[in-house]
Amino acid sequence: HTFTEPGRYRLTGGGSEVTLTVRRPASLRVTGLEAGPERVQAGETVAVNVTVAADPDRPAGGEIALSVDGERVAVRRVSLDANRSATVTVPVRLEEPGTHTLAVAGANETVEVRAETTSRPGALPLPTALAGLAAAITLLARAARRDRRR
């Protein structure tokens, strides 16, 4: 039989009687919070690792709610057997530049989000610009050699 409500139950069978006490699961304890990487570009994802544990004497269960700067962004439901722990990973995409506080049940971590770096319009990436410069120098050197031969 599965008991869905806490309380005291009397079980009988085969001439025996047992009283059983059913309790609600204990609340989860948050024992660790890590977010990484600590610095990201705007629009990148941070992995938030939340470690939760159950007391040694009974199972635990409940929701862990992750917030960014006080605003709830994710909720995960977790159930653990007695004396167990688990790490739940929650990916969080951070869009706004600045320092943000990630929090779960009083534990928190900060992550710095940098503005996306953009190059100037029409600017070439450095490797492309260097390759073009090398090609131009090679052509000028060949032209100078031809002029000396004449």
Side-chain angles (χ1 to χ4, degrees), residues 95-109:
E95 301 288 345
E96 296 297 319
T99 301
H100 298 281
T101 301
L102 307 162
V104 174
N108 61 59
E109 284 281 324

Side-chain angles (χ1 to χ4, degrees), residues 44-117:
E44 289 185 338
T45 299
V46 173
V48 181
N49 296 311
V50 182
T51 303
V52 292
D55 290 333
D57 65 335
R58 67 190 232 204
E63 293 181 342
I64 53 173
L66 173 67
S67 65
V68 176
D69 299 329
E71 181 180 333
R72 185 183 280 198
V73 296
V75 175
R76 298 292 188 271
R77 180 118 183 96
V78 180
S79 296
L80 295 173
D81 288 336
N83 203 31
R84 297 286 185 201
S85 65
T87 299
V88 178
T89 301
V90 182
V92 177
R93 187 177 171 104
L94 299 171
E95 301 288 345
E96 296 297 319
T99 301
H100 298 281
T101 301
L102 307 162
V104 174
N108 61 59
E109 284 281 324
T110 59
V111 173
E112 180 185 333
V113 178
R114 295 186 220 133
E116 289 186 57
T117 55

Side-chain angles (χ1 to χ4, degrees), residues 20-50:
L20 177 70
T21 302
V22 176
R23 301 185 291 178
R24 292 198 185 281
S27 296
L28 295 166
R29 288 182 292 115
V30 174
T31 59
L33 175 67
E34 293 180 357
E38 294 177 4
R39 290 183 187 88
V40 295
Q41 296 291 327
E44 289 185 338
T45 299
V46 173
V48 181
N49 296 311
V50 182

